[in-house]
Amino acid sequence: MLHAHDLSPLTRVRLAVDCMGGDHGPSVTLPACQAFLASHPDVDLVLVGTEEALAGARGLPRTTCVVATEVVTMDDSIEVALRRKKDSSMRVAISQLRPGRDGAPALADVCISAGNTGALMAVARYLLKTMDGIDRPAIATVIPNRMGRYTTMLDLGANVDCTADHLLEFAVMGSALVTAIDGVDEPSVGLLNIGSEAIKGSEVIKRAGDLLRAAAQDGHLNYFGNVEGNDIYGGAVDVIVCDGFVGNVALKTSEGLASMLGAFIREEFSRHWWTKLAALVAMPILNRFRARVDPRNYNGAALLGLRGLVIKSHGGADVHAFGRAMARAYDAARNRLVERVHDGVVETLRALPQQTTETTTAA
Amino acid sequence: MLHAHDLSPLTRVRLAVDCMGGDHGPSVTLPACQAFLASHPDVDLVLVGTEEALAGARGLPRTTCVVATEVVTMDDSIEVALRRKKDSSMRVAISQLRPGRDGAPALADVCISAGNTGALMAVARYLLKTMDGIDRPAIATVIPNRMGRYTTMLDLGANVDCTADHLLEFAVMGSALVTAIDGVDEPSVGLLNIGSEAIKGSEVIKRAGDLLRAAAQDGHLNYFGNVEGNDIYGGAVDVIVCDGFVGNVALKTSEGLASMLGAFIREEFSRHWWTKLAALVAMPILNRFRARVDPRNYNGAALLGLRGLVIKSHGGADVHAFGRAMARAYDAARNRLVERVHDGVVETLRALPQQTTETTTAA
């Protein structure tokens, strides 16, 4: 594949941080930034927050502070975030990704926020615009799987009604993400469906399968075929694409199940004095188990399809979890995710019309 | 609510069993039938299977054997089940629910099969027909929740594209199911969505919310509002409705996650000699935990909206699991599920046009 862009890694990564986002704001973001600076000498930070919050960032090395006067709360509507709070830390942080009015280069390579997802997507989309060839930006996250690796899944809620073309876009963007962050050259892509046979599913899903097969025949995608819900955790593929409604339900259903199972295990071990004794014995093993599936380690969802790189941290993230999201932001920026997505979209879409015709003729 | 039907419990329940269905066929179904007869003196069985298989049923009390010459396999297409294997055990078992040609009453009140879902739904729909007012039959199952009760969810895969009216039908049918089996008078119904606010979701979901609210205002449904994926296990409501694509993905995602977590726990406990020792100590507690979430206890999905009652057992069911599905079939038939669904549909649909108009006027 020829690339329109230089894809060699950045030598320095400039990370803009919305310090006010999330349930805990600067009490989480600032300690995470401090730790991240210590472990990443090739990182410069742009911290955005209220004057009061940024007082806690004084003296941090390789750090620029930018004051914003407003904060988008977790309950603020998209309308409020977009139209009223024009000097919010979220908005100012994202705007660090834009070139200056005088043509000066952007001040940051990637922006991270733990603010509310709807507001973040809306503001990012407004400030950065979507990439040529992308109709709908999507949200992608990683989910640990049984193979000891992880599955990248998108969309997770940015788009409730998707066309087949949108699902193809998601496949291209998800592939670029896995290549950028994990260095996997041709990540396999599965289409989330309710049966592994090609004839299953709705009309949109069937048509998406056709488009994905066509893109694969042209060498632009490593399309695996249909996958089912259990394959998310089975690890059948690197990337799973689905519409945002389905993806959101799958993710939240998983959270609900994991939470219920955790509660049941705790209940059983705390039932009597002898089960509490057994808990002491089993604790180190259960802790190892918990660490393996700790959702904090998988924090950091990517907003894909924009002309700039935005990473969304879970709102409830603690210092460890926010640090993991910063690491994902760093990896994505360092490996030029935006350029990779752009190149992938351009090449796949250029190839497609011709390929689709061939498929139709063959059928 | 006035009921068109007598809803007093049946004094005897006649259960038709497809003995050949599922991965294990008669080696599972026959022992389960024997145990069920022993524990349920008010049950008569109609066993359907090949001559060879039914030889094992000789001497069972209160049992009629009906020979079928063919078997629908787990891999058979709907086409094969419907058009070619006209003397399959599945088909003959379902046909026990139909009145005789001479107007004689049906020979069974409910049919149970562990055969493949697509074939079972297609054959049941063909033989029994859908109920007046029901456009799409649905598949409903129960899922254990954190409150120590369970959540009934539908549809789970019979319908990949649903309209708002279908989701309303599912709500009425699911409510009738919970009332029949659990004796809950006005089960609460949630609409699966990706946010709890009424404005979230696709156009179909928003319109379904309007219909459900209208039915609730008229006293025909106990509509809770939107629920999210995590509420399936949180136990916010008795019934959750969704289209079959989303329901299928949610269920299979849960299976995948549970399977991964189980594998990880086993791996951690079998890592070294001292973790194996800890496993011995923790075993009784982990077994209690496992029993609480044992999917075998929740076996038995109902095919709703047909003019007859069909219960689908998991294909991989063992004797215990098949027995649980038989118990669900027994409860549903004894409490006249079909009549309850019929009455619910008639009353809700009769009330709706008027109610919808009022809502529109008020808005």
Side-chain angles (χ1 to χ4, degrees), chain A residues 163-201:
Chain A
T163 65
D165 293 278
H166 296 143
L167 291 166
L168 173 65
E169 291 173 16
F170 299 169
V172 173
M173 298 195 292
S175 296
L177 179 64
V178 173
T179 302
I181 294 192
D182 303 322
V184 177
D185 244 357
E186 294 186 335
S188 56
V189 178
L191 176 64
L192 190 58
N193 203 338
I194 63 170
S196 49
E197 307 86 2
I199 54 154
K200 290 257 187 173

Side-chain angles (χ1 to χ4, degrees), chain A residues 283-304:
Chain A
M283 193 68 76
I285 298 121
L286 290 174
N287 282 344
R288 276 199 54 127
F289 161 70
R290 202 183 318 182
R292 271 176 88 168
V293 291
D294 188 344
R296 298 183 307 160
N297 292 333
Y298 304 93
N299 189 32
L303 274 52
L304 296 174

